[in-house]
Amino acid sequence: MLSKKSKYAIKALVSLAKHFGEGVPLKISTISEEEKIPRKFLEAILVELRNNGLVHSKMGASGGYSLAKHPEEIVLSHVIRISGGPIAMLPCVSLNFYERCEECVNEEICGLRDVILEVREATIKILSKTSLADLLRREDFLKAKFTS
Amino acid sequence: MLSKKSKYAIKALVSLAKHFGEGVPLKISTISEEEKIPRKFLEAILVELRNNGLVHSKMGASGGYSLAKHPEEIVLSHVIRISGGPIAMLPCVSLNFYERCEECVNEEICGLRDVILEVREATIKILSKTSLADLLRREDFLKAKFTS
DNA sequence: AATTATCCTATTGTTCAGATAGGAAATATA
DNA sequence: TATATTTCCTATCTGAACAATAGGATAATT
């Protein structure tokens, strides 16, 4: 399951992507209201995204946040990892949240692990080719499809 | 993330699959020790699997558990659903644990949901074609690979 | 009858996601 | 330079879900 944190992070970034290149940063409160993300929670999330180089922040009056990269360059797998959500279904196949499986005598010959590895590959393949720009395009496409 | 419950359920079933057709049921304590699953926890899991028709139980002395179906017929997606783990990465794309996404004005035009739907399809495709028998074959294959 | 096992109901513990609080630091603008 | 605005930082709270445990009732074998 994707944590709310990850989901909020993605939604916030999509919000910023919509205003990419306008030169005016977006305030936390604006994003919070538009995307219905709890104010203080969003604050913490954006700081983390900033520490990981995905967004720029500007302090003080008329400050706010803006994307640090082009929307085509920010992919979901990266955002999810940063915002603390493991992608794999088992800790023993996770790259970033690896944990040994106590009950396995030998991890390398675990059939279940082998399958979950396949699932992870398939998942990452999709999430790492989908950028913020892709999400925007998808929304446009869906909007057109459902308003016709 | 797969819950421990789901993981234990799968491991227990694999254990039973190894003895399929022998006519002698396996005791909870035997499975518990072999797979290092907490005794009482496993008890609860097996009852649930029985209630869902995956295993048979026999009470009394020299009782125990056995598979209710052929190992080829029990697939991972089914086991995971029964043991309470959602497969999808977001509640709004889950079949069995569906929950509306409050902050979405219109689910149908959510770009993120659209991507996560793709991930779910890919995941289910793998998990629903992998049976207990497959897991055993994989383990044999891996064993051969790493002991040569 | 004695032993071995599953069955059933209830309870407990523990972790972590999710959210909140309050004030310090920085910047714009008047 | 004063004031309003906004991000930054540290700390804390809460509830729910996961994981595990306890104790005895019920059933079947020997």
Side-chain angles (χ1 to χ4, degrees):
Chain A
M1 270 284 172
L2 215 57
S3 64
K4 290 219 170 186
K5 197 171 162 187
S6 291
K7 193 168 95 179
Y8 291 159
I10 293 168
K11 295 223 165 186
L13 288 170
V14 167
S15 220
L16 292 175
K18 283 179 186 161
H19 298 274
F20 181 70
E22 292 179 0
V24 187
L26 252 68
K27 287 186 293 180
I28 293 180
S29 56
T30 305
I31 305 175
S32 162
E33 284 159 22
E34 281 182 1
E35 304 291 335
K36 293 187 193 164
I37 304 173
R39 175 95 207 316
K40 277 291 189 178
F41 198 12
L42 178 58
E43 213 176 299
I45 291 167
L46 285 168
V47 167
E48 224 171 346
L49 293 178
R50 186 206 52 179
N51 290 339
N52 283 279
L54 290 194
V55 299
H56 280 140
S57 68
K58 194 184 173 192
M59 284 189 79
S62 74
Y65 283 92
S66 52
L67 281 194
K69 296 182 178 185
H70 193 279
E72 300 279 2
E73 290 179 297
I74 300 180
V75 295
L76 295 188
S77 55
H78 190 199
V79 179
I80 293 172
R81 273 187 195 126
I82 284 174
S83 51
I87 292 174
M89 293 183 86
L90 282 178
C92 64
V93 302
S94 174
L95 290 178
N96 300 269
F97 299 87
Y98 174 81
E99 245 175 81
R100 208 184 161 286
C101 196
E102 315 107 33
E103 65 268 24
C104 270
V105 183
N106 185 354
E107 228 177 56
E108 285 176 329
I109 60 171
C110 176
L112 178 58
R113 180 171 175 274
D114 197 45
V115 174
I116 300 300
L117 259 170
E118 256 183 44
V119 172
R120 193 200 67 188
E121 297 306 326
T123 302
I124 288 186
K125 189 175 174 188
I126 295 172
L127 294 180
S128 65
K129 75 158 192 251
T130 306
S131 67
L132 297 180
D134 287 319
L135 286 186
L136 290 180
R137 280 191 287 269
R138 274 180 195 255
E139 293 197 350
D140 284 345
F141 178 79
L142 289 170
K143 221 171 279 177
K145 183 176 169 188
F146 283 99
T147 53
S148 64
Chain B
M1 272 285 173
L2 216 55
S3 64
K4 289 220 170 188
K5 198 172 162 187
S6 291
K7 194 168 95 179
Y8 290 159
I10 293 168
K11 296 221 165 187
L13 288 169
V14 167
S15 220
L16 291 175
K18 283 179 186 161
H19 298 273
F20 181 72
E22 292 180 0
V24 188
L26 252 68
K27 288 186 292 180
I28 292 179
S29 57
T30 305
I31 305 175
S32 162
E33 284 158 24
E34 281 182 1
E35 305 291 334
K36 293 188 194 164
I37 303 173
R39 173 96 209 315
K40 278 291 189 178
F41 197 12
L42 178 59
E43 213 176 300
I45 291 167
L46 284 168
V47 167
E48 223 172 346
L49 292 177
R50 186 207 52 179
N51 289 339
N52 282 278
L54 290 194
V55 299
H56 280 138
S57 68
K58 194 185 173 192
M59 282 188 81
S62 75
Y65 284 92
S66 52
L67 281 195
K69 297 182 178 186
H70 193 279
E72 301 279 2
E73 290 179 296
I74 300 181
V75 294
L76 295 188
S77 55
H78 190 199
V79 179
I80 292 172
R81 271 186 197 129
I82 283 174
S83 52
I87 293 174
M89 292 184 87
L90 282 178
C92 64
V93 303
S94 174
L95 290 177
N96 300 269
F97 299 86
Y98 174 81
E99 245 175 80
R100 206 183 161 285
C101 196
E102 316 105 33
E103 65 268 25
C104 270
V105 184
N106 186 354
E107 227 177 57
E108 286 175 328
I109 60 171
C110 176
L112 178 58
R113 180 170 176 274
D114 197 46
V115 175
I116 300 300
L117 259 170
E118 257 183 43
V119 172
R120 192 200 68 189
E121 297 307 325
T123 302
I124 288 186
K125 190 175 174 188
I126 296 171
L127 294 180
S128 65
K129 76 157 192 252
T130 306
S131 67
L132 297 181
D134 287 319
L135 286 186
L136 290 181
R137 280 191 287 269
R138 276 180 194 255
E139 294 199 349
D140 284 345
F141 178 79
L142 289 169
K143 220 170 281 176
K145 184 174 167 189
F146 283 100
T147 53
S148 64

